Amino acid sequence: MAKTVFILNGPNLNLLGKREPEVYGRTTLAEIEQMLTAAAGPLGLAIDFRQSNHEGMLVDWIHEARESAAGIIINPAALTHTSVAILDALKTFEGPIAEVHLSNVHQREAFRHHSYVSPVATGVLCGFGPHGYRMALDWMAQRLTSTD
Ligand code: CA2
């Protein structure tokens, strides 16, 4: 059976493609989900794609991932820079974790340069727009299906 990857998205990402296109582009979160759903099958994976504006919801989903997911791709959005709760939850997850940001956070305000999540992420992608999610999924497929 295909392994499941949780793809978790934090606050305000539901507005993607609808506001601030100069920063985050014109692709909607629903379009990113469609793109990843189409990619997952041929990669031998299943995805469970979710978005919440609530920190506790994301924590609950990370706990759920401990039982139901082989890997996590997460864009914690603004919570990246504030959330010890998400850091602590991710620490309990034993599989690979990819942290993804649409924008290059290092080109932006200083408060976006620090991530609470990066120390527990297996890898971090930022600045590649929606393609960053796809790159993370490709890597996840290699990581989860490799025999070595
Ligand atoms: O670049 C990213 O993916 C971010 O995680 C996006 C977060 C931001 O706080 C991080 O520093 C970097 C913001 C997500 C908000 O998304 C919006 C989309 C459209 C309109 C307004 C906000």
Side-chain angles (χ1 to χ4, degrees):
M1 212 175 86
K3 290 180 176 166
T4 299
V5 176
F6 273 21
I7 305 180
L8 304 180
N9 296 280
N12 297 308
L13 285 166
N14 53 310
L15 298 178
L16 212 58
K18 301 171 184 167
R19 301 275 191 283
E20 298 188 45
E22 64 289 353
V23 183
Y24 297 113
R26 295 197 179 278
T27 308
T28 65
L29 201 62
E31 288 167 341
I32 293 176
E33 178 176 6
Q34 282 163 20
M35 178 260 287
L36 295 172
T37 301
L43 289 171
L45 295 174
I47 64 162
D48 193 330
F49 190 97
R50 304 178 188 187
Q51 186 274 333
S52 178
N53 292 326
H54 304 281
E55 183 176 26
M57 188 82 261
L58 289 155
V59 169
D60 285 347
W61 287 343
I62 293 164
H63 294 176
E64 188 184 331
R66 286 160 45 78
E67 310 299 325
S68 317
I72 297 176
I73 296 172
I74 185 164
N75 182 350
L79 295 170
T80 307
H81 318 299
T82 63
S83 181
V84 177
I86 288 179
L87 164 68
D88 286 346
L90 286 171
K91 268 187 190 166
T92 72
F93 184 75
E94 289 176 0
I97 299 168
E99 177 185 351
V100 173
H101 299 284
L102 295 153
S103 63
N104 180 349
V105 286
H106 302 290
Q107 284 177 344
R108 302 184 65 194
E109 303 96 318
F111 68 84
R112 296 186 203 274
H113 299 176
H114 175 262
S115 165
Y116 279 97
V117 171
S118 296
V120 292
T122 316
V124 183
L125 284 150
C126 76
F128 298 105
H131 195 64
Y133 286 84
R134 177 58 209 265
M135 292 159 84
L137 192 67
D138 282 346
W139 170 78
M140 203 55 91
Q142 282 222 326
R143 175 75 182 245
L144 294 176
T145 59
S146 112
T147 46
D148 42 66

